[in-house]
């Protein structure tokens, strides 16, 4: 039987997404998209048939405990996947791996040596890397004869100028890998290619893409290439996120440890799990929930998020020397017309305008055609980028 399918796995801290792509034709045709979300407290199952548009959703039994949530989710996903496809048809599993460090700047077939090297990067992406690698290990055991391929979020930023890579620390630390890497690269890769299809002239210019979701960052592109981004060596930097703090005075961390007596582990847990929108609001890290709330702290958290987005966009425009287009993507960027409108309302000085009707309807272009700066909303598709990376690697093998 021909191995004509690529299965993508995107294992995150709160969700697990899977897609099946047919590579037998001229292109990559998405057959099915499967997902489990709501981890670690619950599991919501969704099956989307991309040929018919039919979507089914159902709640499943919650995980036994947060510690076993990912393990249970992966076992459930594998069971459901095998109900959809003969494993003999799978040419490769293509995995999202958040951090590739200095060594991995393109898709790679994973073996024991690669897996060991990637595990050393887990401290720089503790909310994601262990889940990414756990999925690879699990599927390697279940399907020992099927290729496991890793595609990296950091790879999109491999050509960042050195001036954007560096921190003002002793040079030896930079030489040892303590530098800016950037994240959400699979999303930026897809959105940049989609913009090329929508508006090729604009895509070759000065573009800022805002990937806004539970994890959030913004990237400046020149000619489709990343030249500056808000995230750094870890995914803590930049914008406030659902649970992560975003940009922070490093002296504050020292103060918490030295003066407040917090242990490094306690600080780590706070910055990764109890900060960001949930920390500011005391209610939720979910933007939709905060927008629905009348609580003053919820409104303050939303206002802070919008302010930080506006401030970071201004910084990235300075790095580009101007702006031709602003693109929104990610869970918040795609689904919240109110957030898009409020962010753009503070960017009039850049020439950014919103067409309210287009924005409310979720149109692709959400700015007037006569505007100085084009504004778009482009849904991301990280799974397609994973499939492309694996397909290219298989063709080269």
């Amino acid at each position: 039987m021909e191995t004509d399918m690529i299965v993508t796995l995107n294992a995150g801290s709160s969700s697990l997404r899977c897609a099946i792509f047919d590579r037998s034709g001229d292109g990559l045709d998405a057959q099915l998209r499967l997902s489990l979300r709501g981890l670690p407290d619950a599991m919501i199952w969704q099956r989307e048939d991309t040929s018919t548009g039919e979507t089914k959703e159902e709640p499943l039994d919650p995980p036994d405990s947060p510690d076993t949530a990912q393990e249970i989710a992966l076992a459930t996903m594998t069971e459901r996947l095998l109900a959809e496809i003969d494993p003999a048809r799978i040419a490769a599993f293509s995995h999202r791996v958040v951090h590739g460090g200095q060594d991995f700047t393109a898709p790679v077939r994973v073996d024991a040596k690669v897996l060991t090297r990637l595990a050393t990067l887990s401290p720089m992406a503790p909310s994601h890397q262990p889940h990414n690698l756990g999925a690879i290990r699990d599927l390697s055991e279940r399907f020992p004869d099927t290729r496991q391929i890793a595609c990296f979020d950091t790879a999109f930023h491999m050509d960042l100028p050195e001036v954007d890579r560096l921190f003002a620390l002793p040079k030896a630390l930079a030489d040892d890998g303590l530098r800016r890497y950037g994240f959400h690269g699979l999303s930026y890769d897809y959105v940049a290619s989609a913009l090329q299809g929508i508006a090729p002239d604009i895509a070759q210019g000065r573009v800022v893409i805002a990937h806004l979701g539970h994890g959030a960052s913004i990237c400046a592109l020149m000619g489709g290439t990343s030249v500056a981004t808000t995230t750094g060596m870890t995914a803590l930097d930049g914008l406030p996120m659902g649970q992560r703090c975003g940009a922070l005075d490093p002296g504050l961390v020292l103060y918490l440890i030295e003066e407040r007596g917090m242990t490094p582990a306690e600080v780590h847990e706070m910055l990764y799990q109890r900060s960001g929108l949930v920390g500011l609001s005391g209610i939720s890290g979910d933007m939709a929930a905060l927008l629905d709330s009348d609580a003053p702290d919820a409104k303050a958290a939303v206002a802070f998020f919008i302010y930080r987005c506006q401030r970071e966009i201004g910084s990235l425009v300075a790095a580009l020397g101007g702006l031709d287009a602003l693109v929104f993507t990610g869970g918040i960027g795609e689904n919240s017309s109110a957030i898009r409108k409020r962010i753009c309302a503070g960017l009039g000085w850049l020439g950014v305008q919103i067409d309210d009707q287009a924005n409310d309807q979720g149109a692709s272009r959400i700015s007037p055609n006569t505007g100085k700066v084009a504004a778009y909303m482009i849904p991301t598709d990280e799974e397609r980028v994973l499939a492309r990376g694996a397909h290219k690697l298989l063709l080269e093998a």
Side-chain angles (χ1 to χ4, degrees):
M1 182 180 294
E2 184 180 3
T3 53
D4 55 356
M5 298 291 180
I6 291 173
V7 175
T8 66
L9 263 294
N10 189 336
S13 57
S14 61
S15 65
L16 179 62
R17 298 198 303 273
C18 171
I20 303 171
F21 288 83
D22 184 347
R23 61 187 293 261
S24 61
D26 295 334
L28 289 167
D29 183 19
Q31 302 290 300
L32 286 170
R33 294 178 185 269
L34 314 173
S35 69
L36 284 165
R37 66 180 190 276
L39 302 173
D41 302 317
M43 286 201 297
I44 307 297
W45 167 257
Q46 185 179 81
R47 179 190 185 277
E48 177 189 354
D49 186 326
T50 52
S51 61
T52 65
E54 180 184 8
T55 299
K56 295 181 179 179
E57 188 172 288
E58 63 175 303
L60 303 179
D61 291 335
D64 295 335
S65 74
D67 293 337
T68 62
Q70 282 294 328
E71 180 181 344
I72 293 171
L74 191 55
T76 303
M77 179 66 78
T78 303
E79 177 186 336
R80 302 261 172 149
L81 175 65
L82 292 178
E84 304 284 358
I85 184 174
D86 183 343
R89 298 181 63 187
I90 302 174
F93 289 95
S94 186
H95 300 261
R96 177 194 180 199
V97 177
V98 166
H99 215 306
Q102 298 187 95
D103 296 338
F104 300 104
T105 57
V108 63
R109 183 173 179 179
V110 180
D111 56 21
K113 183 178 179 180
V114 169
L115 202 55
T116 298
R117 178 70 186 106
L118 291 175
T120 67
L121 302 173
S122 290
M124 292 193 281
S127 297
H128 298 87
Q129 197 91 343
H131 300 307
N132 304 155
L133 304 187
I136 296 175
R137 292 190 187 96
D138 184 273
L139 292 176
S140 295
E141 293 178 2
R142 295 174 188 267
F143 306 93
D145 298 324
T146 306
R147 298 175 182 88
Q148 306 291 331
I149 292 171
C151 300
F152 303 96
D153 264 330
T154 50
F156 185 76
H157 306 287
M158 61 178 290
D159 293 320
L160 280 176
E162 189 69 5
V163 69
D164 198 72
R165 283 261 186 219
L166 293 175
F167 299 117
L169 295 171
K171 185 176 182 300
L173 293 176
D175 294 341
D176 199 34
L178 276 67
R179 49 178 54 216
R180 187 181 302 276
Y181 290 96
F183 298 94
H184 298 122
L186 298 178
S187 178
Y188 292 131
D189 190 332
Y190 178 81
V191 173
S193 65
L195 184 62
Q196 179 68 34
I198 295 170
D201 291 341
I202 290 175
Q204 289 305 306
R206 302 163 298 183
V207 177
V208 168
I209 302 176
H211 176 102
L212 308 180
H214 190 72
S217 68
I218 310 180
C219 182
L221 290 79
M222 181 76 77
T225 298
S226 174
V227 297
T229 188
T230 57
T231 46
M233 187 182 83
T234 75
L236 277 180
D237 201 5
L239 299 177
M241 306 176 214
Q243 295 173 298
R244 301 196 293 274
C245 60
L248 194 69
D249 178 355
L252 188 152
V253 176
L254 295 176
Y255 176 82
L256 291 174
I257 294 171
E258 295 173 351
E259 303 299 327
R260 292 292 184 93
M262 293 181 70
T263 67
E266 289 171 336
V267 174
H268 181 283
E269 189 270 339
M270 182 187 73
L271 298 184
Y272 276 98
Q273 302 296 329
R274 295 190 290 110
S275 297
L277 296 176
V278 71
L280 287 167
S281 69
I283 297 171
S284 175
D286 180 72
M287 180 60 76
L290 297 180
L291 288 171
D292 286 341
S293 174
D294 291 328
D297 287 344
K299 295 180 181 299
V302 173
F304 182 77
F305 180 82
I306 290 166
Y307 168 74
R308 288 301 308 178
C309 286
Q310 293 167 335
R311 183 166 165 174
E312 294 288 358
I313 289 169
S315 172
L316 294 173
V317 171
L320 288 170
L323 182 65
D324 298 310
L326 172 63
V327 185
F328 292 94
T329 194
I332 298 171
E334 295 167 24
N335 297 309
S336 179
S337 60
I339 293 296
R340 294 194 298 264
K341 181 176 181 177
R342 289 178 63 177
I343 290 173
C344 290
L347 301 176
W349 61 277
L350 283 173
V352 177
Q353 294 179 317
I354 281 285
D355 180 319
D356 287 336
Q357 183 176 0
N359 183 48
D360 291 342
Q361 292 174 348
S364 177
R365 178 159 179 153
I366 58 174
S367 62
N369 291 330
T370 56
K372 177 183 175 182
V373 175
Y376 296 91
M377 186 281 292
I378 301 178
T380 193
D381 190 348
E382 294 171 324
E383 283 68 38
R384 184 165 294 278
V385 178
L386 290 172
R388 286 175 185 165
H391 183 58
K392 181 179 179 181
L393 197 62
L394 292 170
L395 292 176
E396 295 171 351

